[in-house]
Amino acid sequence: MRSPTPTVPWATEEGTGEPEGRRFGRSRSRGRWIGLLGPAFVASIAYVDPGNVASNLSSGAEYGYLLVWVLVLANLMAVLVQYQSAKLGLVTGQSLPDILGTSMRRGPRLAFWAQAEIVAAATDLAEIIGGALALHILFGVPLLWGGVIVGLLSMVLLMTQGPGSQHRFEGFVIGLLVIITIGFMVGLFVSPVDWPEAARGIVPRFQDSQSVLLAASMLGATVMPHAIYLHSALVRDRHGTPTGRSEETTRRLVVATRWDVFLGLLIAGSVNIGMLLMAAAALPGVSGTDTIEGAAAAISEHLGPAIGVIFAVGLLASGLASTSVGCYAGSIIMNGLLRVRVPLLARRLVTMIPALLILAIGWDPTWSLVISQVVLSLGIPFALIPLAVLTSRKRLMGRWANPAWVKVLSVVVTLAIVSLNILLVVLTIAEL
């Protein structure tokens, strides 16, 4: 059923009913400032999902420290994109899907929603399969049942999300992010990393045509469209609408949002770089790291079973957190573009079906992950281009519209990511 255009309530502190943004304007305490962090940590889950694991480990195992610069550059681009999304939600009090939904005619709006839903479904596919692989590695659970378990656990996590409970959902997701960080990073501390060589990896260079292809895939698959849609909504729901908010409060919230994005993406970027460094140090020349199962087996063999188990636990947390966030993003997309609200749990049940069907049929999980990444790549321009345009409009953003140098940088980053994703799609299809 259709619902009227939603009004976004102020995020309030329990028992006070006072808007969080206004509270911040009245208090300069560090504790209150830290309390404004969180949305970017949820969005950053998209950057440490199971789809990134094999590419990071394969890059390190095959080329050593050569492509460290790729992940550094990718993370810098992600910081810019996610900050623009967060700023849009904070300044306008609307999510990116909300704004697009009110500015598009019915036909284009339905088409836009369809591609965004396909992207969200592809995200779910990758995350559920990644979680199922983790359960198979840890306990030998058949992949189909592993997918069912991950889906059901994500339903439990989504039950924490609701009006007035965003802090709780963020807390659970941040807890899973901690587990992901430990699981994917612990191997780094028992690996003989050549730090001077790792520092040289910051200098952009290639070794052969295959390293160019791998770099394109790592850069091109950096920004996830569902994270862009979701981040604007997370900030909107946390800080409310700008109505009644002073300029000074908005300025403080923008500063807090910058720190939120920087810290959230710093953690995600460090995890990805840490995986590459671990593989470069401990798995040089090891084959099979281009699949999740092969990477887990190589880690257990070369770093010990305990490290392998911790890695698999991190993979499970990654799949669980990522699929929950992806389902939440799909709900935001549908509500913004169609003004239709579907209960998160009902949506979770429906979006599990494609992944479970693939697992039941017995398709190769790694092949399925590759296909999901291609679909995600196709959705990138539909999120990035409107974001760059909207955040540059002074009529919409006021004094927070992108200055000239940010406009230029946004265009460059958008063109780079879109071009690399097109290249990635073409090369991937050519290899299928």
Side-chain angles (χ1 to χ4, degrees), residues 176-208:
L176 289 172
L177 179 60
V178 171
I179 297 174
I180 293 167
T181 303
I182 294 172
F184 289 165
M185 292 283 279
V186 70
L188 177 65
F189 298 102
V190 295
S191 301
V193 177
D194 184 342
W195 292 107
E197 192 65 22
R200 287 189 66 242
I202 299 177
V203 180
R205 64 193 193 282
F206 298 103
Q207 180 173 310
D208 51 32

Side-chain angles (χ1 to χ4, degrees), residues 129-173:
I129 289 177
L133 285 170
L135 287 173
H136 179 70
I137 293 168
L138 284 169
F139 308 111
V141 177
L143 289 178
L144 176 58
W145 285 109
V148 172
I149 292 171
V150 170
L152 293 176
L153 288 175
S154 70
M155 290 179 69
V156 174
L157 180 58
L158 287 169
M159 288 173 64
T160 66
Q161 171 59 29
S165 62
Q166 184 170 331
H167 279 291
R168 187 166 52 197
F169 178 74
E170 289 176 0
F172 278 111
V173 173

Side-chain angles (χ1 to χ4, degrees), residues 136-316:
H136 179 70
I137 293 168
L138 284 169
F139 308 111
V141 177
L143 289 178
L144 176 58
W145 285 109
V148 172
I149 292 171
V150 170
L152 293 176
L153 288 175
S154 70
M155 290 179 69
V156 174
L157 180 58
L158 287 169
M159 288 173 64
T160 66
Q161 171 59 29
S165 62
Q166 184 170 331
H167 279 291
R168 187 166 52 197
F169 178 74
E170 289 176 0
F172 278 111
V173 173
I174 290 172
L176 289 172
L177 179 60
V178 171
I179 297 174
I180 293 167
T181 303
I182 294 172
F184 289 165
M185 292 283 279
V186 70
L188 177 65
F189 298 102
V190 295
S191 301
V193 177
D194 184 342
W195 292 107
E197 192 65 22
R200 287 189 66 242
I202 299 177
V203 180
R205 64 193 193 282
F206 298 103
Q207 180 173 310
D208 51 32
S209 60
Q210 184 60 30
S211 67
V212 175
L213 172 60
L214 188 54
S217 67
M218 293 165 68
L219 268 174
T222 296
V223 178
M224 297 295 173
H226 71 285
I228 299 174
Y229 298 125
L230 177 62
H231 201 166
S232 58
L234 289 170
V235 174
R236 173 204 66 188
D237 292 346
R238 170 64 83 85
H239 302 305
T241 67
T243 304
R245 185 198 298 159
S246 69
E247 278 291 310
E248 176 62 16
T249 297
T250 298
R251 186 192 69 79
R252 291 176 180 275
L253 290 172
V254 168
V255 172
T257 297
R258 286 175 188 160
W259 278 104
D260 190 31
V261 172
F262 173 76
L263 294 174
L265 271 297
L266 176 64
I267 293 174
S270 298
V271 169
N272 286 318
I273 293 172
M275 281 192 283
L276 187 151
L277 295 180
M278 176 187 69
L283 309 175
V286 175
S287 60
T289 54
D290 55 341
T291 69
I292 290 179
E293 288 180 289
I299 289 172
S300 294
E301 179 181 351
H302 292 271
L303 295 177
I307 301 298
V309 168
I310 295 173
F311 172 82
V313 170
L315 180 63
L316 178 59

Side-chain angles (χ1 to χ4, degrees), residues 58-79:
S58 180
S59 172
E62 188 170 354
Y63 291 103
Y65 306 100
L66 180 73
L67 299 179
V68 171
W69 67 271
V70 175
L71 292 179
V72 173
L73 180 60
N75 208 60
L76 291 175
M77 292 194 300
V79 168

Side-chain angles (χ1 to χ4, degrees), residues 46-60:
Y47 296 88
V48 288
D49 71 348
N52 291 322
V53 173
S55 62
N56 291 332
L57 293 178
S58 180
S59 172

